[in-house]
Amino acid sequence: MSAQPEVAADLVARLGAIVGARGLVTDPGEMAPYLTDWRELYQGRAAAVTRPASTGEVAAIVRLCAETRTPVVPQGGNTGMCGAATPDASGNAIVLNLARMNRIIELDALNNTVAVEAGCILANIQQAALAADRFFPLSLGAEGSCQIGGNLATNAGGINVLRYGNARDLVLGLEVVVADGRIWSGLRSLRKDNTGYDLKHLFIGAEGTLGIITKAVLKLFPLPRSSVTALAAMPCAEAAVELLALLRNHCGDRISAFEIMSRNCLDMVFRHIPGTRDSLPAIQPWYVLAELSDTRAGSALRDEFERALAEGIARKFVGDAVIAENQAQAQALWRLRETIPEAARVEGLVYRHDIAVAVSRIPAFIAAASRALETRFPGVRIICFGHVGDGNLHFNAFVPGRERDDAEARAAIDVNRVVHGIVQQFGGSISAEHGIGQSKRDELRRHKSEIELALMRTLKKALDPHNLMNPGKVL
Ligand code: FAD
Ligand code: ZN
């Protein structure tokens, strides 16, 4: 049931007094993009969309929401995969979008840190680091529109986790507006700080259910001055894992990315993404896109890569390979990998999975999960890609006869159940990097132990006693 009209009108008027006309969206047409997710699977309603310009405004909004018991749905770039930034259908909640809080506050090159507002677009932080001769390694297909606040709230992964860790590993300090509207200023730039519980890690990966991240201090790294990218084709997924081990022996931790793609991912990209084309003559069932980088300019990375690939070819786990000759070719290869989610969205109704298992068990997992899906859903088309170096696969599937415009097919979880059942057998995770949101909330209950769920609920209740911070998500 929606709020009483006069109550809602009063709330909107008071929100307007906090954020001003520029920070308030109430027109249904203008609100629409904030009320659906990137996959267009979820459609919500809201009393208003607020776009605060400062921490003080965020705090005032949250205080007002605590007083009026109004649920708050934090939103960054709205590129999340789990419907976590979409309000429910009641229309009682407000969306709190961080886009206007997009300042780089301070870059400290000697401390290798940058302080930013939560609404900074990820690519802008990468650019700011570059301008200071530094590197911010978080990188993912949505980097041109996702925000650092969303990245931290989802503990995003992406392509450089293998070497630099996930979003959680890149944070030194946070500023957070907690559920009653108080501001926690934990915006420290310290690499060592053992003064009790490490509170920032509670808010990272919490998907906005414990508070609103308003600022962060992030770690920077030396800028890689040489890099080389290669695409290798191979007969089986085992070969990809073997190639990773071989590359590690040759190149140590200079491997910055190591991504796997099944052949049909590439075919789908060629079908739907303009300007993409095949760069290897022979068709193989699997491909690896790998990148080596080094902080030394003119490092002999290419020679080392060539030697490793030649050994892979001699040992028959690489069928063919191409090394990018220049930056433009490297970017073209990366485009193949990065546009897979978009191509899948265009292709049709895709059942997405974001699983993790031990790297060594990737091939066995792919075999077992493929078998299980093919048995249950004859004719299923599996689109498998992901961050194999982290043991993280997007093991996605198209099921014959299931179309995007069929609400029942969209809501079905039978495909997920089959895959997650195999994940459980392998001691894996049903969400490696995308989070839980609303799409995996019920699955979480099936896969976490009672005690883990109970501890999570205890934390939620302690930090958000009235269940106003992104309710209905995660738990
Ligand atoms: P949103 O979608 O707006 O929000 C996500 C969650 O964070 C929601 O729960 C929201 O309430 C919460 N939130 C947002 N901002 C705040 C805040 N300031 N304080 C508290 N809570 C907040 N993800 C990966 O991990 N790795 C990938 O490789 C990857 N590739 C992608 C490729 C494409 C093409 C697309 C479309 C998405 C991809 N994603 C990937 C998913 C998505 O980009 C990430 O989950 C990203 O971190 C979400 O950021 P966002 O700003 O869009 O957050
Ligand atoms: Zn991913």
Side-chain angles (χ1 to χ4, degrees):
M1 209 177 61
S2 298
Q4 299 290 322
E6 61 277 16
V7 177
D10 180 51
L11 174 73
V12 170
R14 292 175 72 187
L15 287 168
I18 294 168
V19 291
R22 274 190 70 199
L24 189 68
V25 186
T26 52
D27 173 76
E30 283 173 40
M31 285 213 297
Y34 301 92
L35 302 180
T36 188
D37 65 319
W38 184 84
R39 294 164 67 190
E40 296 174 338
L41 275 189
Y42 299 96
Q43 183 70 54
R45 290 174 60 226
V49 174
T50 56
R51 293 164 46 89
S54 66
T55 302
E57 288 186 9
V58 174
I61 294 169
V62 174
R63 263 197 313 276
L64 173 60
C65 288
E67 178 201 316
T68 54
R69 299 288 190 263
T70 304
V72 182
V73 180
Q75 190 177 79
N78 202 12
T79 68
M81 290 286 184
C82 304
T86 310
D88 68 14
S90 69
N92 291 335
I94 63 153
V95 171
L96 195 159
N97 183 290
L98 279 296
R100 287 176 70 209
M101 292 182 57
N102 59 4
R103 277 185 319 131
I104 307 270
I105 303 164
E106 186 195 12
L107 191 146
D108 181 344
L110 289 182
N111 197 41
N112 278 303
T113 50
V114 61
V116 299
E117 287 186 323
C120 276
I121 303 281
L122 174 55
N124 294 347
I125 300 175
Q126 297 165 346
Q127 283 304 319
L130 190 65
D133 213 23
R134 295 290 185 275
F135 183 55
F136 183 60
L138 188 64
S139 175
L140 41 118
E143 64 197 21
S145 54
C146 64
Q147 299 173 6
I148 192 67
N151 300 144
L152 299 181
T154 55
N155 185 25
I159 55 173
N160 289 330
V161 175
L162 185 61
R163 179 152 169 195
Y164 296 97
N166 45 30
R168 186 186 296 285
D169 301 312
L170 304 174
V171 182
L172 293 179
L174 284 187
E175 178 188 82
V176 177
V177 172
V178 297
D180 60 11
R182 282 177 301 163
I183 300 166
W184 170 51
S185 294
L187 212 56
R188 301 177 190 120
S189 308
L190 309 175
R191 273 155 217 278
K192 296 185 119 179
D193 177 17
N194 282 351
T195 51
Y197 303 148
D198 198 338
L199 297 177
K200 63 180 177 291
H201 285 302
L202 278 181
F203 298 99
I204 299 171
E207 301 180 53
T209 61
L210 300 179
I212 295 168
I213 298 169
T214 46
K215 293 188 184 121
V217 175
L218 307 167
K219 290 185 200 168
L220 299 177
F221 294 82
L223 190 64
R225 287 174 206 284
S226 45
S227 74
V228 51
T229 303
L231 181 70
M234 51 205 52
C236 56
E238 283 84 350
V241 175
E242 291 287 350
L243 179 63
L244 176 60
L246 192 152
L247 260 188
R248 275 226 154 106
N249 284 343
H250 277 261
C251 309
D253 65 1
R254 281 173 299 168
I255 312 171
S256 48
F258 194 91
E259 302 278 310
I260 195 170
M261 303 174 273
S262 56
R263 171 71 206 186
N264 55 6
C265 292
L266 294 182
D267 291 332
M268 194 174 64
V269 165
F270 300 144
R271 263 199 300 282
H272 298 299
I273 308 293
T276 55
R277 58 177 193 86
D278 214 345
S279 31
L280 285 173
I283 290 180
Q284 297 261 351
W286 292 93
Y287 293 77
V288 159
L289 182 61
E291 188 172 281
L292 303 179
S293 62
D294 198 315
T295 51
R296 276 179 307 164
S299 161
L301 286 177
R302 195 192 160 92
D303 297 346
E304 289 183 46
F305 218 157
E306 271 173 3
R307 272 199 295 277
L309 288 170
E311 188 181 331
I313 289 172
R315 287 169 59 186
K316 300 255 184 305
F317 48 77
V318 176
D320 195 3
V322 56
I323 298 184
E325 293 294 338
N326 50 45
Q327 198 56 26
Q329 282 183 14
Q331 274 168 3
L333 292 179
W334 272 110
R335 201 162 129 78
L336 299 179
R337 164 64 186 87
E338 282 169 354
T339 53
I340 297 171
E342 175 61 23
R345 182 167 77 156
V346 179
E347 180 103 341
L349 177 60
V350 57
Y351 292 95
R352 291 178 195 262
H353 305 94
D354 168 35
I355 68 94
V357 297
V359 174
S360 53
R361 303 191 78 190
I362 287 266
F365 169 82
I366 291 175
S370 302
R371 225 171 18 244
L373 278 184
E374 281 154 8
T375 308
R376 177 81 188 276
F377 305 99
V380 66
R381 197 152 50 90
I382 295 162
I383 302 283
C384 177
F385 63 98
H387 321 284
V388 67
D390 316 321
N392 174 196
L393 293 179
H394 301 307
F395 191 82
N396 299 345
F398 295 99
V399 175
R402 305 244 186 130
E403 306 295 338
R404 277 187 72 94
D405 50 14
D406 175 353
E408 209 172 295
R410 273 207 312 272
I413 51 157
D414 47 356
V415 182
N416 309 107
R417 282 275 158 88
V418 171
V419 173
H420 293 162
I422 305 291
V423 169
Q424 179 124 357
Q425 284 171 25
F426 277 75
S429 167
I430 62 162
S431 178
E433 58 172 10
H434 291 162
I436 299 298
Q438 45 182 319
S439 65
K440 292 190 194 135
R441 197 188 57 183
D442 296 339
E443 285 295 272
L444 186 76
R445 291 193 195 130
R446 292 166 56 87
H447 292 275
K448 282 261 184 217
S449 67
E450 243 341 287
I451 179 165
E452 256 180 302
L453 288 169
L455 289 171
M456 284 168 70
R457 288 191 195 106
T458 303
L459 284 170
K460 170 75 174 166
K461 211 160 171 72
L463 293 181
D464 179 22
H466 303 296
N467 192 25
L468 298 175
M469 295 283 105
N470 213 1
K473 314 293 165 51
V474 184
L475 284 172

